[in-house]
């Protein structure tokens, strides 16, 4: 894997060689194995595209891969996502792969490299793994060959938001001292944690567990933009996901930071609940998996690791998740409130199937007449700071508001 | 239902499989080109285009395939092309006098045996016109309007007789039905609003479009995830996904997703297209998508009056006659 280097951009020749080395050489190995769901005509097009690629006909291959992408995209949009056949996602990933490796002509054409990276990311976000996660490897090679001038984000001369303290004049820091606090423990033993918190389902903040992780010292806006600036990620736009005008969109990390983090946007943008560390393995090296996860039933590969990155003010409405959760705070602070599952009725969950795990109540501004029982429901709260890990038991209701520019990593395990 | 058009056929848009589109050069044709069919020309009765191939039905009863599927066969009254199945309505072969509905694998080149057949009862088509001839262009609605054909099993799907279907169109995951009284029904998936009932819920059974009640419709059409109908007074109603401007309403991002809509001006014979244009299927000599209708100038320049339009997945077929011809 390429190191972070500041050498002048390698010529396109080296880049093409590096990519070719990753791909199967023969067209028979290039086309993924597919079942019956994929129509003959599509398979025909895949073979044609592979042949064009192996024959070095780049622009024709690009045309063919566009058709592959457009057709499989329609399949991806037909029916509920969980019913979309994996083979269509493989076809889509294959189209992204060919598009990515065919996209550049000129040496040092950073726009083309960024476009190729985007193609890889679309394949990673919407497609299914082919050829042993080849898209991740292609993305890493492309990332390493980005001219170094392109990698840092725009406007470094602009004032950088302070990462350690909140702008107290324009954010309301809750008066936590008056609330019942989540207990804190320093490096409890596995047994102690299991007996006192995991089994009875009680929240706790673990100190000294993640504070030495590399991310705690390495991560900053510049670092994130350097490693991942050109990568495409899903962003939630809107103050909270229960709002009518809430939506999700795709953009690069640079665009996200420039639009929603560095500038005062009227909309809130949140890079939320995204498996960023599967997409960008280089970032995964800066985090670990909390040891306490071994107390669960599942395998390590089954643990879902999500990134939560956004400006001050992002809100996750009060909701519950089916799995155990370790929420690791890396940058900035979050105000978190926790309600036991036993209090569920007093939290007025939505009736619809889609939102039945979400409360109707706006925790920090509840409508008392509409939700009379809410005010009496007991809760625990905390301000979670960098280096700390919050254990949220399965099904425990939680509400989260970012007090600063914030980056958290969550681990869902069973 | 409109009379079967007589005229010359033209095509534009995606032809990456070499399907019958003018010169067939390259993968896309951005401006209308005369359709090349073997010895056919003005004899084409109906064009049904799937993604990778096109089926052309001639007045002589020939169905001709071009593109990823090829082959030809006779005794054919109507054809309907989809990637999974080629559905053909043929004169009865054996057991009864009724026409036979055949579903073929597109790759079979119409040789050997069809995947599935269904003999239609002759009296079921009695009301359909002179001599009991089924009209071309009714598929996927079957003659007699008691059932329709689906590209996914079950292939034969009955319709309640009280629906009195006149026309039926299928989108990627929904269906539209126009009845004898000009009412529109829809059913299937609704997550993009394509059903028109004001929600995103799916509908398992045909449900009347209340929003259109009192407005008799003359025609219906369906794109992948949107629906169109035209009233008897010539107003167009469109609903569903507007990702590429296919609803002819401003769209936030004219990106590469969506469908094409094509519409001929009543009486004037002008063709307007809008929506996704990446493969030249709008016929405006480029690949820009549009969120408002634009006239296809080719036909005006050539003094041609458009009589019929058939939209494939990413291409468009048009039948036109020279101005002055009746």
């Amino acid at each position: 894997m390429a190191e972070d280097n500041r050498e002048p951009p390698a010529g396109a020749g080296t880049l093409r060689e590096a990519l070719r080395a990753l791909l199967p050489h023969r067209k028979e190995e290039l086309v993924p194995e597919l079942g019956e769901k994929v129509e003959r005509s599509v398979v025909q097009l895949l073979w044609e595209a592979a042949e064009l690629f192996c024959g070095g006909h780049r622009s024709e291959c690009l045309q063919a891969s566009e058709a592959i992408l457009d057709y499989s995209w329609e399949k991806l949009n037909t029916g509920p996502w969980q019913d979309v056949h994996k083979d269509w996602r493989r076809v889509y990933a294959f189209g992204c792969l060919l598009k990515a490796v065919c996209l550049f002509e000129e040496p040092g054409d950073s726009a083309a490299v960024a476009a190729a990276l985007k193609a890889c990311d679309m394949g990673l976000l919407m497609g299914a793994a082919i050829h042993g996660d080849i898209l991740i490897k292609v993305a890493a090679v492309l990332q390493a060959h980005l001219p170094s001038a392109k990698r840092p984000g725009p406007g470094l001369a602009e004032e950088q938001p302070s990462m350690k303290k909140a702008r107290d004049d324009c954010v309301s820091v809750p008066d936590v001292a008056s609330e019942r606090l989540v207990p804190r423990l320093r490096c409890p033993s596995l047994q102690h944690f299991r007996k006192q918190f995991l089994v009875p389902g009680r929240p706790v903040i673990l100190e000294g567990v993640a504070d030495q992780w590399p991310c705690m010292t390495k991560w900053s806006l510049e670092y994130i933009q350097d490693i991942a600036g050109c990568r495409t990620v899903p962003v939630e736009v809107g103050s909270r996901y229960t709002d009518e005008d809430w939506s999700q969109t795709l953009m690069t990390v640079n665009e996200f930071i420039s639009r929603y983090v560095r500038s005062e946007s009227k909309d809130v943008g949140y890079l939320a609940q995204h498996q960023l560390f599967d997409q960008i393995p280089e970032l995964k090296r800066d985090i670990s998996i909390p040891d306490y996860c071994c107390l669960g039933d599942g395998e390590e590969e089954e643990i879902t690791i999500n990134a939560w990155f956004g400006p001050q003010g992002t809100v996750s409405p009060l909701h519950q998740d089916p799995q155990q959760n370790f929420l690791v705070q890396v940058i900035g602070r979050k105000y978190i409130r926790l309600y036991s599952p036993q209090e569920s009725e007093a939290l007025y969950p939505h009736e619809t199937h889609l939102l039945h795990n979400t409360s109707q109540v706006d925790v920090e501004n509840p409508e008392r007449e509409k939700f009379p029982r809410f005010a009496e429901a007991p809760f625990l709260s905390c301000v979670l700071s960098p280096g700390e890990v919050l254990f949220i038991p399965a099904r425990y209701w939680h509400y989260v508001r970012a007090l600063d520019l914030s980056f958290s990593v969550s681990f869902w395990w069973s | 239902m409109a009379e079967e058009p007589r005229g010359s056929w033209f095509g534009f848009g995606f032809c990456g499989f070499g399907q019958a589109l003018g010169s067939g050069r390259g993968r896309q044709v951005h401006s209308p080109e005369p359709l090349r069919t073997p010895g056919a020309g003005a004899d084409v009765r109906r064009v049904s285009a799937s993604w990778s191939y096109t089926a052309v039905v001639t007045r002589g009863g020939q169905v001709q395939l071009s593109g990823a599927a090829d082959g030809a066969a006779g005794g054919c009254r109507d054809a309907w092309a989809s990637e999974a199945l080629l559905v053909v309505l043929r004169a009865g072969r054996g057991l009864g006098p009724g026409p036979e509905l055949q579903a073929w694998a597109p790759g079979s080149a119409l040789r050997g045996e069809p995947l599935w057949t269904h003999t239609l009862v002759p009296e079921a088509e009695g009301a359909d016109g002179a001599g009991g001839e089924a009209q071309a262009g009714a598929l996927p609605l079957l003659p007699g309007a008691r059932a329709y054909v689906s590209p996914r099993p079950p292939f034969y799907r009955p319709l309640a007789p009280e629906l009195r279907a006149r026309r039926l169109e299928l989108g990627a995951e929904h269906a539209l039905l126009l009845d004898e009284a000009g009412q529109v029904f829809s059913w299937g998936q609704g997550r993009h609003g394509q059903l028109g009932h004001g929600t995103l819920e799916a509908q398992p059974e045909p449900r009347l479009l209340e929003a259109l009640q009192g407005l008799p419709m003359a025609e219906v059409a369906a794109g992948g995830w949107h629906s169109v109908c035209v009233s008897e007074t010539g107003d167009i109603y469109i609903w569903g996904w507007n990702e590429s401007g296919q609803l002819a309403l401003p769209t936030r991002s004219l990106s590469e997703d969506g469908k094409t809509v094509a519409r001929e001006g009543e009486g004037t014979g002008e063709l307007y297209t809008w929506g996704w244009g990446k493969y030249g299927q709008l016929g405006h000599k480029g690949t820009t998508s549009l969120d408002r209708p634009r006239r296809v100038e080719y036909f005006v320049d050539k003094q041609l009056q458009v009589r019929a339009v058939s939209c494939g997945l990413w291409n468009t077929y048009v039948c036109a006659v020279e101005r002055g011809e009746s």
Side-chain angles (χ1 to χ4, degrees), chain B:
Chain B
M1 162 122 189
E3 279 248 315
E4 291 159 11
R6 289 189 169 272
S8 304
W9 284 82
F10 302 79
F12 45 100
F14 177 71
C15 52
F17 289 90
Q19 52 264 67
L21 262 190
S23 63
R25 247 175 300 150
R27 300 185 160 273
Q28 307 166 14
V29 171
H30 295 176
S31 194
E33 290 186 6
L35 202 62
R36 297 268 173 86
T37 53
D43 196 32
V44 171
R45 188 184 189 197
R46 185 190 180 179
V47 177
S48 177
S50 183
W51 176 63
S52 67
Y53 73 102
T54 302
V56 167
V57 181
T58 70
R59 276 172 224 291
Q62 275 263 310
V63 60
Q64 295 163 352
L65 309 178
S66 62
D70 58 17
C76 170
R77 295 176 179 173
D78 198 4
W80 187 71
S82 75
E83 286 308 294
L85 286 181
L86 167 67
V87 178
V88 177
L89 193 63
R90 298 178 80 174
R93 284 196 300 180
L95 303 173
E100 192 177 61
L101 188 70
Q102 298 178 341
W104 294 81
S108 67
L110 293 167
R111 280 195 285 274
E113 288 302 310
L115 292 175
W116 169 88
T117 64
H118 181 92
T119 306
L120 297 172
V121 181
E123 53 266 18
E125 39 164 346
D128 267 358
E133 283 277 312
Q135 286 184 319
L139 282 180
L141 183 64
L142 296 179
R146 292 299 162 80
Y148 67 100
V149 156
S150 164
R152 289 183 286 269
F155 302 126
Y156 180 87
R157 301 196 182 190
L159 286 168
E162 49 272 18
L163 281 173
R164 297 187 307 143
R166 193 204 309 175
R167 187 72 190 260
L168 186 145
E169 293 281 322
L170 298 178
E173 44 184 357
H174 76 294
L176 281 182
L177 184 151
L178 177 67
D179 77 0
E180 295 287 349
Q183 297 184 119
V184 179
F185 295 76
S186 69
W187 65 101
Q189 293 296 320
R191 83 191 84 251
H192 290 294
Q194 62 267 55
L195 297 182
H197 300 301
T199 73
L200 300 177
E201 305 283 315
Q203 289 291 324
E205 294 296 323
R207 180 176 160 185
L208 178 67
L209 252 84
E210 282 153 20
L212 298 175
Q213 265 198 309
L215 295 163
M217 294 294 148
E219 297 193 45
V220 292
W225 296 270
H226 70 292
S227 306
V228 192
C229 60
V230 182
S231 72
E232 286 174 358
T233 51
D235 296 319
I236 300 182
Y237 296 79
I238 321 186
W239 60 97
W241 203 2
N242 194 31
E243 186 62 31
S244 288
Q246 60 267 49
L247 302 191
L249 295 165
T251 181
R252 260 184 307 147
S253 69
L254 280 186
S255 59
E256 320 101 37
D257 323 317
K259 282 268 125 285
T260 314
V261 183
R263 175 76 201 123
E264 53 192 283
E266 261 297 301
T268 62
E270 294 173 339
L271 179 69
Y272 290 80
T273 61
W274 62 95
W276 190 42
K278 182 169 171 183
Y279 290 91
Q281 64 267 56
L282 298 186
H284 301 299
K285 294 191 194 151
T287 55
T288 334
S289 298
L290 293 172
D291 61 4
R292 63 211 65 192
R294 183 186 292 174
R295 190 172 68 179
V296 180
E297 296 304 324
Y298 175 89
F299 298 101
V300 179
D301 296 341
K302 300 266 179 186
Q303 309 259 347
L304 293 166
Q305 269 194 317
V306 172
R307 283 296 166 80
V309 182
S310 177
C311 289
L313 203 66
W314 300 347
N315 48 32
T316 312
Y317 293 88
V318 174
C319 180
V321 296
E322 304 212 352
R323 279 191 190 280
E325 275 181 46
S326 60

Side-chain angles (χ1 to χ4, degrees), chain A residues 39-42 44-45 48 52 60 63-64 66-71 73-75 77-81 99 247, chain B residues 14 16-17 27-28 51-52 68 83-84 106-107 172-173 191-192 225 241 256-259 276 278-279 313-314:
Chain A
E39 296 124 359
R40 271 177 81 250
S41 47
V42 178
Q44 187 183 321
L45 185 57
E48 202 181 311
L52 286 168
E60 287 177 56
Q63 262 201 321
E66 287 287 343
I68 292 169
L69 286 172
D70 287 326
Y71 190 75
W73 185 93
E74 295 190 4
K75 295 295 185 190
N77 276 275
T78 304
W81 179 250
K99 180 172 178 176
S247 67
Chain B
F14 177 71
F17 289 90
R27 300 185 160 273
Q28 307 166 14
W51 176 63
S52 67
E83 286 308 294
E173 44 184 357
R191 83 191 84 251
H192 290 294
W225 296 270
W241 203 2
E256 320 101 37
D257 323 317
K259 282 268 125 285
W276 190 42
K278 182 169 171 183
Y279 290 91
L313 203 66
W314 300 347

